[in-house]
Amino acid sequence: MNTTQHTSQKYNHELEEARSKLMTMGGLVETQVTNAIKALLERDSALGEKVAYSDHEINAMEVALDEHCAEIIARRQPAASDLRLLITIIKVITDLERIGDEAEKVGRYAVEMTESATYGDLHNSLRHLGEHVKIMLSDTLDALARLDVAQAMQVVKNDQQVDDEFDSITRQLYTRMLEDPRYIKDSLNVTWCARSLERVGDHCKNICEYVIYLVKGKDVRHTNLESIRETILGE
């Protein structure tokens, strides 16, 4: 992540520290999501429990970074790209914290479903969605680190695929519950896990929209992909 350099070395250091902490938080969130999905698919209750009870690190980083950005704004009164950077960081850490919350939920479900007799037949529904979401999160953090608008837009586009996949899994599980009541409890748990993963995709989309705002100075929230292409890339 590279932005404007200033004559004040201390100011540069403060901004660089904020950027560095943001990427550190992103890395921690990515690890949490990866471990949550692994615990779920490999029926690893110990790993699931670890994910479920380590969310406090992400929460603490959000609070500390929020305070750091607020202090910079209060003392430096930034403008233009610096102000957009700080606003972007404050918004991104909120989405990262919420991704951590979703990972925590998946970790708890992983622990609960480890002993399930019928779960083994259901969890394959989550494998593809989990892999898709992990790639989406990795691409999001990469777009954030490199301020890559093209990659950010690709992530925004991919969110629709995640939404479609979630809808497909939900229909599949509802059908199974109707056919065999023994699957109801486990199917509902799998549905909630799929919902958490789908929400991770939503937060990735939000973060990428902030990347576009930071680089292009345009707020593209609540804007469809075609309009973003027209207004940002001139396609």
Side-chain angles (χ1 to χ4, degrees):
M1 193 182 287
N2 185 25
T3 54
T4 309
Q5 291 292 309
H6 302 274
T7 54
S8 170
Q9 289 299 317
K10 188 174 181 181
Y11 187 19
N12 283 332
H13 176 73
E14 291 169 354
L15 293 175
E16 185 54 40
E17 185 178 4
R19 289 191 288 265
S20 177
K21 287 181 176 178
L22 173 66
M23 298 315 302
T24 299
M25 183 178 177
L28 181 58
V29 168
E30 186 176 25
T31 298
Q32 285 286 85
V33 170
T34 299
N35 286 340
I37 294 171
K38 182 179 181 182
L40 188 66
L41 297 180
E42 298 183 4
R43 307 184 74 162
D44 188 336
S45 61
L47 183 59
E49 193 164 347
K50 179 183 176 183
V51 173
Y53 293 101
S54 57
D55 188 49
H56 61 277
E57 293 180 55
I58 294 173
N59 295 340
M61 292 186 78
E62 182 200 16
V63 172
L65 192 44
D66 199 24
E67 290 176 352
H68 182 69
C69 290
E71 287 176 6
I72 295 175
I73 292 172
R75 288 189 291 104
R76 302 291 186 178
Q77 298 183 340
S81 63
D82 289 347
L83 182 58
R84 288 206 306 274
L85 170 65
L86 293 167
I87 290 173
T88 297
I89 291 174
I90 290 171
K91 289 182 174 295
V92 167
I93 59 176
T94 299
D95 279 281
L96 287 177
E97 190 275 332
R98 289 175 181 167
I99 291 174
D101 288 345
E102 299 302 337
E104 178 187 353
K105 291 177 188 175
V106 173
R108 292 183 188 276
Y109 283 121
V111 173
E112 184 175 339
M113 291 193 288
T114 299
E115 303 300 325
S116 167
T118 59
Y119 169 60
D121 192 42
L122 294 170
H123 84 295
N124 283 336
S125 303
L126 293 172
R127 185 177 299 279
H128 189 264
L129 178 60
E131 291 300 322
H132 199 160
V133 168
K134 279 196 300 183
I135 292 171
M136 195 171 172
L137 178 56
S138 176
D139 288 347
T140 295
L141 295 175
D142 194 40
L144 180 63
R146 297 189 294 112
L147 299 182
D148 188 331
V149 170
Q151 187 164 19
M153 290 185 63
Q154 185 61 46
V155 172
V156 172
K157 180 181 179 182
N158 290 345
D159 182 54
Q160 185 58 54
Q161 296 176 20
V162 170
D163 291 347
D164 293 343
E165 203 167 334
F166 168 72
D167 291 340
S168 175
I169 290 174
T170 301
R171 287 194 300 272
Q172 176 188 345
L173 293 172
Y174 283 170
T175 300
R176 181 168 296 211
M177 284 188 282
L178 290 172
E179 291 175 346
D180 190 340
R182 292 179 302 165
Y183 285 96
I184 289 178
K185 181 180 178 182
D186 289 338
S187 293
L188 286 174
N189 282 334
V190 172
T191 300
W192 290 122
C193 286
R195 169 61 78 183
S196 285
L197 294 175
E198 186 269 337
R199 284 176 176 163
V200 170
D202 288 342
H203 292 302
C204 287
K205 176 186 175 185
N206 293 344
I207 291 170
C208 284
E209 289 174 345
Y210 300 142
V211 170
I212 295 170
Y213 165 74
L214 174 58
V215 177
K216 297 293 185 180
K218 301 286 187 182
D219 188 345
V220 297
R221 291 175 297 172
H222 316 297
T223 305
N224 62 47
L225 198 60
E226 289 71 24
S227 297
I228 295 174
R229 285 199 179 100
E230 290 176 1
T231 57
I232 300 300
L233 300 181
E235 296 180 352

